[in-house]
Structures are given as structure tokens and as C-alpha cells.
Amino acid sequence: MKRLSIALLAAAGMTAALAQGYPNKPITVVVPFSAGGPTDRVARDLAEALRKQLNNVTIVIDNAAGAGSSIGTAKVARAAPDGYTLLLNHIAMGTMPALYKSLPFKVETDFDYLGIINDVPMTLIGRPTLEANNYSELATWINANKGKINLGNAGLGAASQLCGLLLDSALKANMTAVPYKGTAPAIADLMGGQIDLLCDQTTNTTGQIEGKKVKAYAVTTAKRLTTPQLKDLPTLQEVGVKGFEVTIWHGLYGPKGLPADVATKLNTALKAALKDPEFIKRQEGLGAVVATDNRQEPEGHKKFVAAEIAKWGPVIKAAGVSAD
């Protein structure tokens, strides 16, 4: 019994020592989407801000895309819970349980929640050759072309797919959904005129809107945005699409079972990173709003995701969308 007690004390001491020295090697942040997409941009901006808070440790972004973000998410669920493999994912954490009948992980129990990072509005944009120049003209065009409109999205489980489902349902336009393997090819085809419309995150559309490479019609928030590039766009609710509001959020996670000291250090570093002026400036430039509420805390983050799962489950079920 004495030997067992000594062994347990030694193990506890070793864990504490490891946590105290954390991090002492590169950290990998898994992004379950393609490089260059909106979530990837958030991850790379956050990595730079986090690095400053974590002894200037190297932070590597691992783009493990596919299957509506479930591939990369599963990769983190299986990783050693030592704080060196983390996950940065978006609203997919709230929609995957409804999209997939079977997942190799449980969103609510197989991860340690480290905090919400930001909220990202979405924009309704169109190909540059579309004859409609404002939402009023777009509404007329949609009504005249029901059943003939191609609405792009970045693939199953992507924020753009979710926004597209709600938009088509609200407008009763019977649009044809055109899925892509990521946001970048969807944007490219929109600019090239191969598809008509796309509803995607400001993190990926603001530059294209500012450069007049696409036409912008509305934002998906309850109130107009204040960013210079988007402040003149009306909300969809404002132009008559009642009750339409979609905001995408990003959060940071670790595999379940992180040492308490490591989890605390990561949460503390995250909260400090979210106050980094350069990070805030970069996010604002993309139309994103950095989180400042209790969702920064692990418990607030976890409750929020549980509420999102409850919110989106019925919506996805009603739309008849499934990955299985």
C-alpha cells in the first residue's frame, strides 16, 4: 500500500511538473477545413496572438479537411490529452450531431472546452455579372428565376451550406445547391460566373466585396455591421426576410482529459490573445467580432455549444439534410 501511495504521489508530481513546464515543444492546432478558408484565417491570426502568450512557442496549423470537419475533429478526439494537439472549429460543433447519425466522437463529452474566440457575420453575395445591383433588385430577380438559381456552398457541414439552407427555405426559391470542397473554389467560381449566389462568412468575403470582385447584397446579422467595407449593407431582416439571423462562431478545444494546469494555462493564454490589439484589428478587418462574454470561459463555452446543438438540430432535420 505504501509503495502504491508513493507511486501515485510520484505520478502526480510528474504531471504537475509537466504542466508547469508547458509548453516546451511545438503545439499543433488542427483546423478541420482547407487552407485559405475563413476558419483557417482565424486560426492563423489566433496562433500568432497565442504564441506571444505561450513562451513564443511554435504553433503549427494542421489543415485536416473533409467530411464536414468531422475528420479533423476526430483526429483531435484521438490525440493525447497533453495540450500539444488542439482543435479550432466553428459552428460545425453545433451541427455535426444532427448531420451525422454516427460520429467517432461525442461533441459534448470527448473534448475539453477552452473558450469561444469570435462571432462572424455572413454576407449574401452574387456573381459580378448578376444584373441585380441591390437587394430589392435581387429579390425581383430571384422571384423571376425560381428553380434556376445556383447557390454555392463550401461543402457538407460548412457555414455556407447552413446559411444557404435557411436562405432557400426563407425565400422559397427552390435554388440548386452546388457544393464545393472548401470556400476558396466556391468563391472562385462565383467570381467567374459559374454560380449565381453564395452566403459566406465575412472573414472570406470582405476582401472580395471591397475589391468589387463580387456583388454584395446583405448581411445575416440582426443589426447592420459597423466595419467600413460592410456598413452600407442592409440586414436580411431589414429587407423583409423576417427572423433571418445566422452568425458563425469559432472555439478552441483540446482532447478530453487535459491536465488541469495545462487547461488553465491555455484558457488564460486564449483570453489574453483575444485582447491583443493586433488580433482584434485583424478580426475587425475581416468583419469578425472578438468574443468578450462568459463564453471565453470553459463552462460558458460548453453551455453555449450545448445550446447550439439544441438550436440547429431541428433546423437540419426539417431540411432533410444528412451525411449518412
Side-chain angles (χ1 to χ4, degrees):
M1 182 65 72
K2 183 179 290 186
R3 288 181 180 178
L4 179 60
S5 298
I6 293 172
L8 289 172
L9 286 171
M14 185 177 295
T15 299
L18 287 171
Q20 189 174 9
Y22 175 85
N24 54 31
K25 63 180 181 178
I27 296 172
T28 296
V29 175
V30 175
V31 176
F33 298 99
S34 302
T39 301
D40 179 68
R41 292 184 182 204
V42 172
R44 292 179 190 276
D45 286 348
L46 182 68
E48 178 58 24
L50 271 179
R51 180 188 61 78
K52 300 174 189 177
Q53 307 299 327
L54 293 170
N55 306 328
N56 287 316
V57 68
T58 298
I59 299 181
V60 179
I61 302 298
D62 175 13
N63 295 99
S69 86
S70 63
I71 291 175
T73 303
K75 184 175 184 177
V76 176
R78 295 190 302 265
D82 56 9
Y84 290 100
T85 303
L86 305 176
L87 170 72
L88 192 152
N89 202 352
H90 66 15
I91 196 173
M93 295 295 276
T95 60
M96 278 189 288
L99 282 170
Y100 294 86
K101 293 178 182 177
S102 177
L103 285 168
F105 54 82
K106 293 183 178 179
V107 170
E108 295 185 85
T109 58
D110 288 349
F111 300 92
D112 278 348
Y113 289 66
L114 299 171
I116 289 290
I117 299 161
N118 64 11
D119 293 294
V120 186
M122 302 190 78
T123 49
L124 176 59
I125 56 177
R127 54 180 166 83
T129 54
L130 198 59
E131 46 267 43
N133 294 308
N134 54 51
Y135 186 81
S136 177
E137 293 179 3
L138 179 67
T140 300
W141 179 82
I142 288 174
N143 285 330
N145 290 277
K146 288 186 176 182
K148 304 175 185 177
I149 301 167
N150 291 321
L151 177 66
N153 67 63
L156 182 68
S160 52
Q161 187 207 26
L162 179 62
C163 186
L165 284 173
L166 292 179
L167 183 67
D168 193 35
S169 175
L171 298 179
K172 297 178 173 57
N174 192 27
M175 301 185 205
T176 299
V178 183
Y180 288 84
K181 293 182 178 180
T183 301
I187 288 277
D189 268 11
L190 185 72
M191 291 190 296
Q194 280 75 45
I195 54 175
D196 301 309
L197 297 172
L198 179 69
C199 183
D200 211 341
Q201 302 173 61
T202 55
T203 43
N204 205 58
T205 62
T206 301
Q208 311 301 340
I209 292 170
E210 188 175 24
K212 300 188 184 304
K213 295 179 180 179
V214 297
K215 289 189 175 181
Y217 297 106
V219 294
T220 64
T221 45
K223 297 180 180 180
R224 288 197 181 203
L225 302 180
T226 58
T227 47
Q229 307 94 321
L230 306 172
K231 63 182 178 63
D232 294 327
L233 289 178
T235 69
L236 281 167
Q237 292 194 56
E238 182 183 334
V239 294
V241 189
K242 299 302 181 185
F244 195 98
E245 183 180 354
V246 181
T247 301
I248 305 307
W249 42 268
H250 294 87
L252 190 66
Y253 310 79
K256 187 67 177 178
L258 292 176
D261 287 356
V262 170
T264 298
K265 184 170 284 190
L266 283 168
N267 176 250
T268 299
L270 175 63
K271 288 186 289 188
L274 298 185
K275 294 178 181 177
D276 185 306
E278 184 60 29
F279 178 72
I280 294 172
K281 181 180 178 181
R282 285 177 178 271
Q283 294 301 289
E284 288 178 344
L286 294 170
V289 179
V290 175
T292 58
D293 55 20
N294 71 340
R295 296 174 303 158
Q296 285 187 356
E297 301 294 341
E299 191 58 33
H301 180 185
K302 189 168 187 177
K303 287 181 179 178
F304 175 70
V305 173
E308 288 288 281
I309 290 171
K311 171 184 175 180
W312 290 111
V315 173
I316 293 169
K317 184 177 179 180
V321 178
S322 174
D324 297 310

